Amino acid sequence: MSEKHEHETSKQVSAEGIQQSSSNPSQNEEPMFERDPNRKWWHGIKEPGHALQIVTAAILAIAIGMAVTSTVGSKNIPQAATVIIGIPGVLWLRALRAVVLPLIICAMILAVQKLREMSTGGGAVVAKWSVSYYVLTTLLAIVHSTIAVAVGWIRLMQVMDAESLEVTDEDDQDMINERTETKIHDVVKQMFESFIPQNVVKSLAEDGLLAILVTSVIVGYLLKPNSPLLKVVKEIEELITIIITWLIKAAPIGVFFLILPNLFRLDIASIAQNLGVLIGSSLVGMFFHLFVVLPLLFFLILRRNPYSYWMKQSPAWITAWGTASSAATLPVTMKCAKRTGIPDGLAKFTLPLGCLINMDGTAIYFPAVVVFLAATQGHELTGADYVIIVLLSTLASIGTTPIPSSSLVLTVMIATSVNVEITGMYAVVVAIDWFIDRFRTAVNVSGDLFAAPIIQKLAKVEDDGVVSEEEGVVVTDNNDRV
């Protein structure tokens, strides 16, 4: 492929609002809401797939769903209506997930090639800082969540009566029995086995994202720069970009029809009675991490306004909230990062990696659920129990797959490890998990986006993809400087 053709393709995609990768993003990137100084930010609502359209669709879905649920009652809404209404959202989500695997494969191969072009050891530096930063933020999330729940929220949790703790449904009991059998050593074994695929084709068919990521890194490292296969990968990436562009334009419709049927299953009375404290502790912990911890790290390292930066990434975290899947949101996440000046090679490496191992929202949720299960049955946790919860939550959050509600199985493993019995309250947690899962995913994706420029600074990666000898880093948009 000629350089002229690549440049023309980049301009075409940029005109549609999704910036194609380029060697110097700082010259081509456009602000998220404003394309010229004289245009008001709300004018973008007319553009297909604009962040304001996604926000409006989400608000409408929540308003309609809450109105119907509070008026008719979730139990009186026919199941057929919920299923049929959700079809457009399910189809959009399936299409989005369909491009995730080829996107990860192409992105990682091209990213590793880009890292190899850096100065000696540059790729290793990026990998080191990426993993170190992700583990650090995960530990911070778990520690402050555990402290908040153990010191404050647990006092608001009430011991439930025997009838509420009893498991009355056979399906619920079968689910609990199956998940209780999950042992710590099994989780550790499965996590390490997930790095190396026994059958690459099977991993592709079963969405073995971590195995595919590792395989793609190896292939990317072994490919020669002038390999014909590398040209094929670039062509496929361009095709994926075109598909993603269309899917992002359809995002408001997809998000609306994903949220609305889920609201129809919302039992407001049950939430107020049984799960208000759990929801409150989880959401407060996530908001604290999202609006205090991550912005503080962002400001201390980059000296930039973290909230301005976060708002520019709104299409990604809004889509994450709507889909409840970090993997499905990955195409949008990568486009948002590139539009705000993250170097192409860095974005292709750090964001897919963060999608798989950086689960701050999930990490916050684990301690809250375990303490909730213990408190509702009058089980007192010791200091040693809380240490075990922190360690296992760290391991579990890294091993959680980036798909909706995948943390439920690991929650049982952590609870049983500190001798907390799985009672009927677990079934209640499962019933509301879809709601909290959306916030977990939004925090996870936001954490990845905050991480990208931080890793760029720590690894001293310049816009042209080389490791700089200086401490400074080139920033595309200086409007968010403090």
Side-chain angles (χ1 to χ4, degrees), residues 103-145:
L103 175 65
I104 289 178
I105 294 172
C106 294
M108 294 307 297
I109 290 176
L110 296 177
V112 172
Q113 285 285 317
K114 193 72 174 178
L115 293 176
R116 288 184 64 185
E117 295 174 4
M118 295 179 175
S119 57
T120 305
V125 170
V126 172
K128 178 191 71 174
W129 280 114
S130 298
V131 174
S132 300
Y133 178 81
Y134 287 147
V135 173
L136 171 65
T137 56
T138 298
L139 281 172
L140 288 175
I142 293 171
V143 169
H144 76 67
S145 174

mmCIF file of all heavy atoms in Angstrom, residues 103-145:
data_model
loop_
_atom_site.group_PDB
_atom_site.id
_atom_site.type_symbol
_atom_site.label_atom_id
_atom_site.label_comp_id
_atom_site.label_asym_id
_atom_site.label_seq_id
_atom_site.Cartn_x
_atom_site.Cartn_y
_atom_site.Cartn_z
ATOM 1 N N LEU A 103 -9.905 -6.800 15.699
ATOM 2 C CA LEU A 103 -9.309 -5.524 16.099
ATOM 3 C C LEU A 103 -8.123 -5.743 17.025
ATOM 4 O O LEU A 103 -7.058 -5.131 16.861
ATOM 5 C CB LEU A 103 -10.356 -4.645 16.784
ATOM 6 C CG LEU A 103 -9.841 -3.322 17.365
ATOM 7 C CD1 LEU A 103 -9.348 -2.411 16.250
ATOM 8 C CD2 LEU A 103 -10.918 -2.630 18.184
ATOM 9 N N ILE A 104 -8.285 -6.623 18.031
ATOM 10 C CA ILE A 104 -7.197 -6.905 18.965
ATOM 11 C C ILE A 104 -6.006 -7.511 18.233
ATOM 12 O O ILE A 104 -4.854 -7.137 18.460
ATOM 13 C CB ILE A 104 -7.685 -7.846 20.086
ATOM 14 C CG1 ILE A 104 -8.637 -7.101 21.033
ATOM 15 C CG2 ILE A 104 -6.503 -8.401 20.882
ATOM 16 C CD1 ILE A 104 -9.192 -7.969 22.141
ATOM 17 N N ILE A 105 -6.273 -8.459 17.323
ATOM 18 C CA ILE A 105 -5.187 -9.116 16.591
ATOM 19 C C ILE A 105 -4.404 -8.101 15.769
ATOM 20 O O ILE A 105 -3.168 -8.017 15.858
ATOM 21 C CB ILE A 105 -5.755 -10.227 15.684
ATOM 22 C CG1 ILE A 105 -6.351 -11.353 16.541
ATOM 23 C CG2 ILE A 105 -4.664 -10.774 14.776
ATOM 24 C CD1 ILE A 105 -7.109 -12.392 15.744
ATOM 25 N N CYS A 106 -5.119 -7.303 14.977
ATOM 26 C CA CYS A 106 -4.450 -6.312 14.130
ATOM 27 C C CYS A 106 -3.744 -5.253 14.976
ATOM 28 O O CYS A 106 -2.604 -4.866 14.687
ATOM 29 C CB CYS A 106 -5.462 -5.656 13.197
ATOM 30 S SG CYS A 106 -6.184 -6.764 11.968
ATOM 31 N N ALA A 107 -4.433 -4.766 16.013
ATOM 32 C CA ALA A 107 -3.868 -3.700 16.837
ATOM 33 C C ALA A 107 -2.592 -4.154 17.538
ATOM 34 O O ALA A 107 -1.590 -3.420 17.570
ATOM 35 C CB ALA A 107 -4.903 -3.230 17.870
ATOM 36 N N MET A 108 -2.596 -5.372 18.093
ATOM 37 C CA MET A 108 -1.428 -5.835 18.827
ATOM 38 C C MET A 108 -0.256 -6.119 17.890
ATOM 39 O O MET A 108 0.899 -5.821 18.210
ATOM 40 C CB MET A 108 -1.771 -7.088 19.636
ATOM 41 C CG MET A 108 -2.764 -6.847 20.759
ATOM 42 S SD MET A 108 -2.285 -5.506 21.891
ATOM 43 C CE MET A 108 -0.773 -6.148 22.585
ATOM 44 N N ILE A 109 -0.534 -6.708 16.718
ATOM 45 C CA ILE A 109 0.542 -6.978 15.764
ATOM 46 C C ILE A 109 1.196 -5.666 15.317
ATOM 47 O O ILE A 109 2.423 -5.532 15.324
ATOM 48 C CB ILE A 109 0.000 -7.752 14.549
ATOM 49 C CG1 ILE A 109 -0.376 -9.178 14.958
ATOM 50 C CG2 ILE A 109 1.033 -7.788 13.424
ATOM 51 C CD1 ILE A 109 -1.003 -9.995 13.850
ATOM 52 N N LEU A 110 0.370 -4.689 14.945
ATOM 53 C CA LEU A 110 0.906 -3.406 14.493
ATOM 54 C C LEU A 110 1.556 -2.635 15.642
ATOM 55 O O LEU A 110 2.549 -1.922 15.438
ATOM 56 C CB LEU A 110 -0.212 -2.569 13.861
ATOM 57 C CG LEU A 110 -0.835 -3.160 12.585
ATOM 58 C CD1 LEU A 110 -1.976 -2.279 12.094
ATOM 59 C CD2 LEU A 110 0.216 -3.322 11.503
ATOM 60 N N ALA A 111 1.016 -2.776 16.842
ATOM 61 C CA ALA A 111 1.598 -2.085 17.997
ATOM 62 C C ALA A 111 2.982 -2.624 18.317
ATOM 63 O O ALA A 111 3.915 -1.859 18.593
ATOM 64 C CB ALA A 111 0.681 -2.229 19.205
ATOM 65 N N VAL A 112 3.124 -3.951 18.294
ATOM 66 C CA VAL A 112 4.430 -4.549 18.580
ATOM 67 C C VAL A 112 5.441 -4.146 17.509
ATOM 68 O O VAL A 112 6.609 -3.871 17.811
ATOM 69 C CB VAL A 112 4.305 -6.087 18.669
ATOM 70 C CG1 VAL A 112 5.684 -6.732 18.764
ATOM 71 C CG2 VAL A 112 3.467 -6.468 19.882
ATOM 72 N N GLN A 113 4.998 -4.102 16.256
ATOM 73 C CA GLN A 113 5.876 -3.634 15.188
ATOM 74 C C GLN A 113 6.325 -2.198 15.454
ATOM 75 O O GLN A 113 7.493 -1.842 15.259
ATOM 76 C CB GLN A 113 5.150 -3.722 13.842
ATOM 77 C CG GLN A 113 5.022 -5.119 13.290
ATOM 78 C CD GLN A 113 6.336 -5.647 12.729
ATOM 79 O OE1 GLN A 113 7.052 -4.937 12.034
ATOM 80 N NE2 GLN A 113 6.650 -6.891 13.047
ATOM 81 N N LYS A 114 5.385 -1.370 15.906
ATOM 82 C CA LYS A 114 5.698 0.024 16.197
ATOM 83 C C LYS A 114 6.669 0.129 17.377
ATOM 84 O O LYS A 114 7.611 0.929 17.370
ATOM 85 C CB LYS A 114 4.409 0.785 16.516
ATOM 86 C CG LYS A 114 4.567 2.289 16.538
ATOM 87 C CD LYS A 114 4.753 2.841 15.142
ATOM 88 C CE LYS A 114 4.767 4.358 15.135
ATOM 89 N NZ LYS A 114 4.983 4.909 13.788
ATOM 90 N N LEU A 115 6.449 -0.701 18.399
ATOM 91 C CA LEU A 115 7.326 -0.680 19.565
ATOM 92 C C LEU A 115 8.740 -1.135 19.201
ATOM 93 O O LEU A 115 9.722 -0.667 19.782
ATOM 94 C CB LEU A 115 6.751 -1.563 20.672
ATOM 95 C CG LEU A 115 5.436 -1.098 21.318
ATOM 96 C CD1 LEU A 115 4.946 -2.113 22.328
ATOM 97 C CD2 LEU A 115 5.613 0.262 21.971
ATOM 98 N N ARG A 116 8.840 -2.039 18.242
ATOM 99 C CA ARG A 116 10.155 -2.516 17.829
ATOM 100 C C ARG A 116 10.957 -1.423 17.120
ATOM 101 O O ARG A 116 12.185 -1.465 17.083
ATOM 102 C CB ARG A 116 10.012 -3.720 16.892
ATOM 103 C CG ARG A 116 9.563 -4.998 17.587
ATOM 104 C CD ARG A 116 9.548 -6.151 16.617
ATOM 105 N NE ARG A 116 10.892 -6.444 16.116
ATOM 106 C CZ ARG A 116 11.155 -7.359 15.169
ATOM 107 N NH1 ARG A 116 10.153 -8.033 14.612
ATOM 108 N NH2 ARG A 116 12.384 -7.579 14.774
ATOM 109 N N GLU A 117 10.227 -0.457 16.536
ATOM 110 C CA GLU A 117 10.904 0.644 15.859
ATOM 111 C C GLU A 117 11.474 1.666 16.841
ATOM 112 O O GLU A 117 12.241 2.541 16.460
ATOM 113 C CB GLU A 117 9.922 1.349 14.915
ATOM 114 C CG GLU A 117 9.434 0.481 13.778
ATOM 115 C CD GLU A 117 8.372 1.168 12.954
ATOM 116 O OE1 GLU A 117 8.084 2.352 13.241
ATOM 117 O OE2 GLU A 117 7.824 0.531 12.042
ATOM 118 N N MET A 118 11.060 1.548 18.104
ATOM 119 C CA MET A 118 11.570 2.481 19.097
ATOM 120 C C MET A 118 13.055 2.236 19.339
ATOM 121 O O MET A 118 13.629 1.249 18.900
ATOM 122 C CB MET A 118 10.810 2.333 20.417
ATOM 123 C CG MET A 118 9.349 2.716 20.333
ATOM 124 S SD MET A 118 8.544 2.480 21.935
ATOM 125 C CE MET A 118 6.913 3.126 21.582
ATOM 126 N N SER A 119 13.642 3.127 20.114
ATOM 127 C CA SER A 119 15.038 2.923 20.479
ATOM 128 C C SER A 119 15.165 1.665 21.322
ATOM 129 O O SER A 119 14.182 1.117 21.800
ATOM 130 C CB SER A 119 15.542 4.137 21.273
ATOM 131 O OG SER A 119 14.741 4.344 22.412
ATOM 132 N N THR A 120 16.388 1.201 21.499
ATOM 133 C CA THR A 120 16.634 -0.068 22.173
ATOM 134 C C THR A 120 15.944 -0.132 23.530
ATOM 135 O O THR A 120 16.109 0.718 24.385
ATOM 136 C CB THR A 120 18.152 -0.270 22.386
ATOM 137 O OG1 THR A 120 18.802 -0.165 21.119
ATOM 138 C CG2 THR A 120 18.422 -1.636 22.988
ATOM 139 N N GLY A 121 15.155 -1.172 23.709
ATOM 140 C CA GLY A 121 14.451 -1.356 24.975
ATOM 141 C C GLY A 121 13.194 -0.544 25.114
ATOM 142 O O GLY A 121 12.524 -0.602 26.149
ATOM 143 N N GLY A 122 12.819 0.237 24.084
ATOM 144 C CA GLY A 122 11.637 1.092 24.192
ATOM 145 C C GLY A 122 10.356 0.313 24.384
ATOM 146 O O GLY A 122 9.513 0.679 25.202
ATOM 147 N N GLY A 123 10.211 -0.795 23.619
ATOM 148 C CA GLY A 123 9.012 -1.609 23.752
ATOM 149 C C GLY A 123 8.895 -2.213 25.136
ATOM 150 O O GLY A 123 7.807 -2.272 25.719
ATOM 151 N N ALA A 124 10.008 -2.677 25.683
ATOM 152 C CA ALA A 124 10.005 -3.260 27.024
ATOM 153 C C ALA A 124 9.624 -2.222 28.068
ATOM 154 O O ALA A 124 8.945 -2.531 29.058
ATOM 155 C CB ALA A 124 11.374 -3.859 27.337
ATOM 156 N N VAL A 125 10.068 -0.981 27.860
ATOM 157 C CA VAL A 125 9.741 0.095 28.806
ATOM 158 C C VAL A 125 8.230 0.349 28.827
ATOM 159 O O VAL A 125 7.624 0.485 29.896
ATOM 160 C CB VAL A 125 10.503 1.386 28.431
ATOM 161 C CG1 VAL A 125 9.994 2.566 29.255
ATOM 162 C CG2 VAL A 125 11.990 1.212 28.639
ATOM 163 N N VAL A 126 7.629 0.391 27.647
ATOM 164 C CA VAL A 126 6.182 0.606 27.565
ATOM 165 C C VAL A 126 5.431 -0.534 28.241
ATOM 166 O O VAL A 126 4.482 -0.318 29.009
ATOM 167 C CB VAL A 126 5.734 0.742 26.094
ATOM 168 C CG1 VAL A 126 4.213 0.775 25.999
ATOM 169 C CG2 VAL A 126 6.323 2.000 25.472
ATOM 170 N N ALA A 127 5.844 -1.772 27.972
ATOM 171 C CA ALA A 127 5.190 -2.932 28.576
ATOM 172 C C ALA A 127 5.323 -2.907 30.095
ATOM 173 O O ALA A 127 4.364 -3.180 30.829
ATOM 174 C CB ALA A 127 5.776 -4.217 28.007
ATOM 175 N N LYS A 128 6.518 -2.554 30.580
ATOM 176 C CA LYS A 128 6.765 -2.513 32.028
ATOM 177 C C LYS A 128 5.876 -1.484 32.700
ATOM 178 O O LYS A 128 5.209 -1.775 33.710
ATOM 179 C CB LYS A 128 8.229 -2.183 32.297
ATOM 180 C CG LYS A 128 8.580 -2.069 33.776
ATOM 181 C CD LYS A 128 9.962 -1.492 33.978
ATOM 182 C CE LYS A 128 10.001 -0.001 33.620
ATOM 183 N NZ LYS A 128 11.303 0.627 33.940
ATOM 184 N N TRP A 129 5.825 -0.274 32.153
ATOM 185 C CA TRP A 129 5.017 0.777 32.762
ATOM 186 C C TRP A 129 3.522 0.464 32.644
ATOM 187 O O TRP A 129 2.752 0.803 33.548
ATOM 188 C CB TRP A 129 5.327 2.123 32.118
ATOM 189 C CG TRP A 129 6.570 2.772 32.641
ATOM 190 C CD1 TRP A 129 7.724 3.026 31.972
ATOM 191 C CD2 TRP A 129 6.787 3.242 33.979
ATOM 192 N NE1 TRP A 129 8.652 3.623 32.784
ATOM 193 C CE2 TRP A 129 8.103 3.780 34.027
ATOM 194 C CE3 TRP A 129 6.007 3.257 35.136
ATOM 195 C CZ2 TRP A 129 8.637 4.316 35.187
ATOM 196 C CZ3 TRP A 129 6.544 3.814 36.297
ATOM 197 C CH2 TRP A 129 7.843 4.333 36.313
ATOM 198 N N SER A 130 3.117 -0.162 31.566
ATOM 199 C CA SER A 130 1.696 -0.496 31.388
ATOM 200 C C SER A 130 1.228 -1.460 32.473
ATOM 201 O O SER A 130 0.241 -1.204 33.169
ATOM 202 C CB SER A 130 1.460 -1.105 30.001
ATOM 203 O OG SER A 130 1.782 -0.199 28.974
ATOM 204 N N VAL A 131 1.943 -2.563 32.618
ATOM 205 C CA VAL A 131 1.556 -3.570 33.610
ATOM 206 C C VAL A 131 1.660 -3.000 35.023
ATOM 207 O O VAL A 131 0.762 -3.204 35.863
ATOM 208 C CB VAL A 131 2.430 -4.835 33.469
ATOM 209 C CG1 VAL A 131 2.129 -5.830 34.583
ATOM 210 C CG2 VAL A 131 2.210 -5.488 32.105
ATOM 211 N N SER A 132 2.738 -2.275 35.303
ATOM 212 C CA SER A 132 2.928 -1.715 36.650
ATOM 213 C C SER A 132 1.815 -0.736 37.006
ATOM 214 O O SER A 132 1.280 -0.777 38.128
ATOM 215 C CB SER A 132 4.285 -1.007 36.736
ATOM 216 O OG SER A 132 5.336 -1.900 36.477
ATOM 217 N N TYR A 133 1.467 0.123 36.068
ATOM 218 C CA TYR A 133 0.417 1.111 36.350
ATOM 219 C C TYR A 133 -0.929 0.431 36.546
ATOM 220 O O TYR A 133 -1.694 0.795 37.454
ATOM 221 C CB TYR A 133 0.338 2.127 35.213
ATOM 222 C CG TYR A 133 -0.763 3.149 35.413
ATOM 223 C CD1 TYR A 133 -0.578 4.250 36.239
ATOM 224 C CD2 TYR A 133 -2.009 2.983 34.797
ATOM 225 C CE1 TYR A 133 -1.589 5.165 36.450
ATOM 226 C CE2 TYR A 133 -3.029 3.905 34.999
ATOM 227 C CZ TYR A 133 -2.808 4.993 35.822
ATOM 228 O OH TYR A 133 -3.827 5.893 36.026
ATOM 229 N N TYR A 134 -1.248 -0.533 35.712
ATOM 230 C CA TYR A 134 -2.536 -1.220 35.833
ATOM 231 C C TYR A 134 -2.658 -1.956 37.170
ATOM 232 O O TYR A 134 -3.705 -1.932 37.821
ATOM 233 C CB TYR A 134 -2.720 -2.204 34.683
ATOM 234 C CG TYR A 134 -3.012 -1.544 33.346
ATOM 235 C CD1 TYR A 134 -2.568 -2.093 32.155
ATOM 236 C CD2 TYR A 134 -3.735 -0.360 33.277
ATOM 237 C CE1 TYR A 134 -2.829 -1.492 30.928
ATOM 238 C CE2 TYR A 134 -4.001 0.254 32.072
ATOM 239 C CZ TYR A 134 -3.543 -0.321 30.898
ATOM 240 O OH TYR A 134 -3.817 0.282 29.693
ATOM 241 N N VAL A 135 -1.587 -2.618 37.589
ATOM 242 C CA VAL A 135 -1.613 -3.315 38.884
ATOM 243 C C VAL A 135 -1.746 -2.315 40.031
ATOM 244 O O VAL A 135 -2.482 -2.552 41.002
ATOM 245 C CB VAL A 135 -0.349 -4.182 39.059
ATOM 246 C CG1 VAL A 135 -0.280 -4.769 40.472
ATOM 247 C CG2 VAL A 135 -0.323 -5.309 38.030
ATOM 248 N N LEU A 136 -1.049 -1.174 39.924
ATOM 249 C CA LEU A 136 -1.127 -0.151 40.973
ATOM 250 C C LEU A 136 -2.548 0.375 41.137
ATOM 251 O O LEU A 136 -3.060 0.442 42.270
ATOM 252 C CB LEU A 136 -0.185 1.007 40.628
ATOM 253 C CG LEU A 136 -0.316 2.257 41.514
ATOM 254 C CD1 LEU A 136 0.082 1.937 42.947
ATOM 255 C CD2 LEU A 136 0.525 3.406 40.956
ATOM 256 N N THR A 137 -3.193 0.742 40.029
ATOM 257 C CA THR A 137 -4.549 1.292 40.149
ATOM 258 C C THR A 137 -5.546 0.241 40.633
ATOM 259 O O THR A 137 -6.488 0.567 41.354
ATOM 260 C CB THR A 137 -5.025 1.854 38.793
ATOM 261 O OG1 THR A 137 -4.958 0.840 37.779
ATOM 262 C CG2 THR A 137 -4.160 3.033 38.387
ATOM 263 N N THR A 138 -5.324 -1.010 40.257
ATOM 264 C CA THR A 138 -6.189 -2.080 40.745
ATOM 265 C C THR A 138 -6.068 -2.229 42.255
ATOM 266 O O THR A 138 -7.070 -2.353 42.970
ATOM 267 C CB THR A 138 -5.835 -3.411 40.057
ATOM 268 O OG1 THR A 138 -6.053 -3.294 38.649
ATOM 269 C CG2 THR A 138 -6.706 -4.548 40.589
ATOM 270 N N LEU A 139 -4.837 -2.217 42.766
ATOM 271 C CA LEU A 139 -4.620 -2.317 44.213
ATOM 272 C C LEU A 139 -5.227 -1.122 44.948
ATOM 273 O O LEU A 139 -5.860 -1.291 46.007
ATOM 274 C CB LEU A 139 -3.126 -2.411 44.510
ATOM 275 C CG LEU A 139 -2.478 -3.783 44.309
ATOM 276 C CD1 LEU A 139 -0.969 -3.679 44.441
ATOM 277 C CD2 LEU A 139 -3.044 -4.783 45.313
ATOM 278 N N LEU A 140 -5.045 0.074 44.410
ATOM 279 C CA LEU A 140 -5.638 1.256 45.028
ATOM 280 C C LEU A 140 -7.152 1.141 45.089
ATOM 281 O O LEU A 140 -7.779 1.470 46.102
ATOM 282 C CB LEU A 140 -5.238 2.515 44.243
ATOM 283 C CG LEU A 140 -3.786 2.973 44.362
ATOM 284 C CD1 LEU A 140 -3.523 4.155 43.429
ATOM 285 C CD2 LEU A 140 -3.461 3.361 45.805
ATOM 286 N N ALA A 141 -7.764 0.655 44.007
ATOM 287 C CA ALA A 141 -9.219 0.507 43.962
ATOM 288 C C ALA A 141 -9.707 -0.473 45.015
ATOM 289 O O ALA A 141 -10.686 -0.211 45.730
ATOM 290 C CB ALA A 141 -9.647 0.046 42.565
ATOM 291 N N ILE A 142 -9.027 -1.595 45.130
ATOM 292 C CA ILE A 142 -9.444 -2.619 46.094
ATOM 293 C C ILE A 142 -9.242 -2.139 47.526
ATOM 294 O O ILE A 142 -10.113 -2.344 48.391
ATOM 295 C CB ILE A 142 -8.657 -3.922 45.854
ATOM 296 C CG1 ILE A 142 -9.056 -4.523 44.507
ATOM 297 C CG2 ILE A 142 -8.917 -4.932 46.967
ATOM 298 C CD1 ILE A 142 -8.200 -5.683 44.072
ATOM 299 N N VAL A 143 -8.122 -1.507 47.792
ATOM 300 C CA VAL A 143 -7.813 -1.074 49.163
ATOM 301 C C VAL A 143 -8.812 -0.022 49.642
ATOM 302 O O VAL A 143 -9.379 -0.143 50.742
ATOM 303 C CB VAL A 143 -6.367 -0.537 49.256
ATOM 304 C CG1 VAL A 143 -6.138 0.149 50.594
ATOM 305 C CG2 VAL A 143 -5.373 -1.676 49.077
ATOM 306 N N HIS A 144 -9.061 1.012 48.835
ATOM 307 C CA HIS A 144 -9.979 2.052 49.333
ATOM 308 C C HIS A 144 -11.417 1.538 49.389
ATOM 309 O O HIS A 144 -12.203 1.957 50.251
ATOM 310 C CB HIS A 144 -9.854 3.342 48.520
ATOM 311 C CG HIS A 144 -10.494 3.353 47.171
ATOM 312 N ND1 HIS A 144 -11.854 3.287 46.966
ATOM 313 C CD2 HIS A 144 -9.940 3.466 45.927
ATOM 314 C CE1 HIS A 144 -12.106 3.350 45.672
ATOM 315 N NE2 HIS A 144 -10.972 3.452 45.015
ATOM 316 N N SER A 145 -11.785 0.596 48.516
ATOM 317 C CA SER A 145 -13.117 0.009 48.591
ATOM 318 C C SER A 145 -13.275 -0.838 49.849
ATOM 319 O O SER A 145 -14.293 -0.755 50.547
ATOM 320 C CB SER A 145 -13.376 -0.852 47.350
ATOM 321 O OG SER A 145 -14.612 -1.544 47.451
#
